[in-house]
Amino acid sequence: MDAPRSIGTFVVWDYVVFAAMLLISAAIGIYYAFAGGGQQTSKDFLMGGRSMTAVPVALSLTASFMSAVTVLGTPSEVYRFGAIFSIFAITYFFVVAISAEVFLPVFYKLGITSTYEYLELRFNKYVRLCGTVLFIVLTILYTGIVIYAPALALNQVTGFDLWGAVVATGVVCTFYCTLGGLKAVVWTDVFQVGIMVAGFASVIIQAVVIQGGISTILNDAYNGGRLNFWNFNPNPLQRHTFWTIVIGGTFTWTSIYGVNQSQVQRYISCKSRFQAKMSLYINLLGLWAILTCSVLCGLALYSRYHDCDPWTAKKVSAPDQLMPYLVLDILQDYPGLPGLFVACAYSGTLSTVSSSINALAAVTVEDLVKPHFRSLSERSLSWISQGLSVMFGALCIGMAALASLMGALLQAALSIFGMIGGPLLGLFALGILVPFANSIGLNHSKSSRTSGLLKKSRSGDSKFSKDWETSCLQGGHPYLSLEILSVVICTMAVICENCFLVSPNYPEAQL
């Protein structure tokens, strides 16, 4: 290739495909607004009546974890820095295992709706309030960025209307979240993860055909040094090494999977603890599948443009625009398929935004409304939850508008998200894993107030149930020794605070 090829543009069929994705998502919300008698209680609206099963929840977890930032950012990372990004497969295993075996049993057994309820049971109401406020502020900030950043990237390459996409995304998410609650969020995620896989598949298949087979793509990647799977350099400041990805990535994503309301709310909505655990492990397969698709797309990018980089040739203005550029290049003769990829990217956005809106409504009702208005009926709480969904949806759209005016806010917000996520993870881990920690500091006394809350709020006939609840609320995990846990907590604090959580190791840093 001596010069960059001319690329296609968006046509009517591409807009039709994108609009169909939005309409189907909205229709799912309408269905669950009336199915089974509608959202009669806050439990129905926020937790799906705690009747969800493993497979849809697993797919929902996968869809919301893989935002449009990932769809656009991961292939460009692989294109620029190689397939070492695939080591995240190991990270995902550790994240899911820790979440399923350490955090899930505690949250599920307590029957809580907001993860921050645990902080009051374990420490005090002020710690709970602090966690809740931090979550609300940071989630609104991050969700606005998740809406705006991909819209900007796609607009600059495809000409796809920027504010039309931003408003449509926010309005559709708010619509089906408000009408259908958690069930609508989960089942739209199931639909959207299918769109994500289809979008990736269309790009991979066409790239393989155009480049003359998968062997050509792999040979180009090998000759260009992009099959760099193993790099054991211990320097934590290097962009991608085995250690930064496995250690740093595990702590970063455990703060999301293990204690973040948006993820925890889905898996504790399952009808049994077994189903909840299964949802996490099935979701692991989904994470591996999406990661594989992202890495293959990145290698296809390199094979296509390794001797004529669109970025250095000024055909795109940022790395996250490389995937849309590739799509319009190789799929320009297939009307509708570029629209399918845009639907793929926005499916990631919709799933992330909808789960955030539902989680924001949940923590607001459970942590800020119910403690002060105890006489409210379940029906009233359900209406309040729906109203809060509308309010938070509007705030997220407004945050997207703010992000457009303050470019530096993007990186700052993502850095703050990482810096706060680490301490919150440490706080939950401290409560669950260290028995001699309380709201004041570290000692060997047991809180009588916590014991009182335990007796009032939970009941269990079996010795196992009593031992479990006492262990979790007063500190300590029934399966792990104190010596191991002390080492884990100390290591976690050092790593999260000093090395990995704010390093530019993840595609989100590129937007």
Side-chain angles (χ1 to χ4, degrees):
M1 287 180 285
D2 297 324
R5 301 175 177 82
S6 62
I7 62 172
T9 58
F10 251 49
V11 298
V12 173
W13 284 110
D14 298 314
Y15 287 100
V16 168
V17 171
F18 179 72
M21 183 271 292
L22 294 179
L23 289 174
I24 293 173
S25 298
I28 294 173
I30 295 174
Y31 173 79
Y32 280 104
F34 302 102
Q39 312 300 314
Q40 298 297 323
T41 67
S42 61
K43 181 180 177 181
D44 291 333
F45 185 81
L46 299 174
M47 302 297 294
R50 296 190 188 271
S51 60
M52 305 302 295
T53 54
V55 174
V57 170
L59 294 175
S60 176
L61 290 169
T62 300
S64 59
F65 186 71
M66 297 295 181
S67 69
V69 176
T70 304
V71 172
L72 300 178
T74 300
S76 72
E77 281 290 296
V78 174
Y79 170 75
R80 297 168 64 203
F81 301 106
I84 191 172
F85 205 88
S86 60
I87 299 299
F88 265 104
I90 301 173
T91 296
Y92 295 155
F93 171 78
F94 288 132
V95 168
V96 167
I98 292 169
S99 300
E101 304 302 333
V102 176
F103 294 103
L104 182 151
V106 176
F107 294 140
Y108 196 91
K109 184 64 180 177
L110 293 175
I112 57 180
T113 298
S114 166
T115 55
Y116 304 102
E117 291 179 66
Y118 172 79
L119 295 180
E120 180 173 355
L121 295 173
R122 180 64 178 86
F123 298 110
N124 59 43
K125 63 181 180 181
Y126 303 108
V127 178
R128 174 183 182 178
L129 180 63
C130 180
T132 299
V133 171
L134 284 174
F135 172 79
I136 291 174
V137 172
L138 292 173
T139 302
I140 292 173
L141 187 66
Y142 184 69
T143 304
I145 293 167
V146 167
I147 295 174
Y148 176 74
L152 179 63
L154 290 166
N155 165 262
Q156 292 177 343
V157 177
T158 67
F160 200 69
D161 186 76
L162 174 62
W163 290 109
V166 167
V167 173
T169 301
V171 169
V172 169
C173 280
T174 304
F175 178 78
Y176 68 74
C177 284
T178 302
L179 289 182
L182 183 71
K183 286 185 178 179
V185 171
V186 168
W187 284 105
T188 50
D189 285 350
V190 172
F191 164 67
Q192 288 156 7
V193 79
I195 296 294
M196 292 171 71
V197 172
F200 272 132
S202 64
V203 175
I204 293 169
I205 292 171
Q206 182 65 4
V208 168
V209 171
I210 287 180
Q211 295 302 108
I214 190 67
S215 59
T216 302
I217 293 176
L218 294 178
N219 283 335
D220 288 340
Y222 177 78
N223 293 331
R226 292 305 190 270
L227 297 184
N228 54 339
F229 293 105
W230 308 108
N231 178 358
F232 292 98
N233 188 331
N235 180 8
L237 301 179
Q238 187 171 336
R239 187 177 189 86
H240 292 310
T241 70
F242 178 88
W243 306 113
T244 58
I245 290 177
V246 173
I247 300 176
T250 296
F251 285 114
T252 300
W253 296 121
T254 300
S255 70
I256 297 175
Y257 255 76
V259 302
N260 187 279
Q261 177 71 23
S262 299
Q263 297 294 91
V264 175
Q265 187 173 340
R266 253 83 59 78
Y267 58 71
I268 63 175
S269 71
C270 291
K271 59 186 178 181
S272 68
R273 195 170 73 188
F274 173 77
Q275 291 281 335
K277 277 195 176 185
M278 285 298 297
S279 72
L280 279 171
Y281 285 113
I282 295 172
N283 151 77
L284 178 60
L285 301 178
L287 295 179
W288 284 342
I290 296 294
L291 179 63
T292 300
C293 290
S294 300
V295 171
L296 286 175
C297 283
L299 296 178
L301 268 171
Y302 184 79
S303 179
R304 184 73 170 165
Y305 302 123
H306 65 279
D307 55 358
C308 189
D309 181 16
W311 189 21
T312 55
K314 306 300 182 183
K315 295 296 182 180
V316 298
S317 58
D320 53 280
Q321 298 170 15
L322 287 168
M323 270 301 289
Y325 186 89
L326 175 68
V327 168
L328 290 179
D329 179 11
I330 67 176
L331 295 177
Q332 59 183 300
D333 296 328
Y334 301 91
L337 287 186
L340 178 63
F341 179 78
V342 170
C344 160
Y346 274 98
S347 289
T349 295
L350 285 169
S351 60
T352 302
V353 174
S354 61
S355 61
S356 295
I357 291 173
N358 195 254
L360 287 166
V363 298
T364 304
V365 168
E366 294 295 324
D367 299 332
L368 302 180
V369 176
K370 287 175 74 172
H372 301 288
F373 302 94
R374 299 183 184 277
S375 61
L376 289 173
S377 66
E378 280 295 318
R379 184 60 178 166
S380 298
L381 289 171
S382 178
W383 281 107
I384 291 172
S385 300
Q386 291 175 309
L388 287 169
S389 294
V390 174
M391 182 189 77
F392 283 123
L395 285 174
C396 290
I397 295 174
M399 185 61 233
L402 181 61
S404 71
L405 301 175
M406 301 174 64
L409 182 66
L410 300 181
Q411 180 61 53
L414 292 166
S415 298
I416 292 171
F417 191 85
M419 288 187 286
I420 296 300
L424 279 176
L425 172 62
L427 183 60
F428 279 96
L430 182 72
I432 292 173
L433 304 179
V434 179
F436 47 83
N438 61 19
S439 59
I440 298 174
L442 298 179
N443 59 37
H444 293 277
S445 65
K446 301 299 183 181
S447 170
S448 60
R449 181 175 179 275
T450 301
S451 299
L453 283 171
L454 170 62
K455 293 175 182 177
K456 291 178 182 178
S457 60
R458 307 285 174 254
S459 62
D461 294 328
S462 68
K463 183 178 183 300
F464 172 79
S465 296
K466 293 177 181 177
D467 290 345
W468 178 278
E469 292 177 351
T470 301
S471 180
C472 292
L473 285 179
Q474 294 187 349
H477 195 282
Y479 295 157
L480 303 174
S481 72
L482 176 60
E483 290 77 10
I484 294 175
L485 301 180
S486 299
V487 172
V488 169
I489 294 297
C490 293
T491 305
M492 182 184 301
V494 172
I495 293 176
C496 289
E497 292 291 338
N498 294 295
C499 295
F500 299 107
L501 284 179
V502 295
S503 70
N505 287 349
Y506 309 105
E508 282 83 346
Q510 299 304 311
L511 291 180

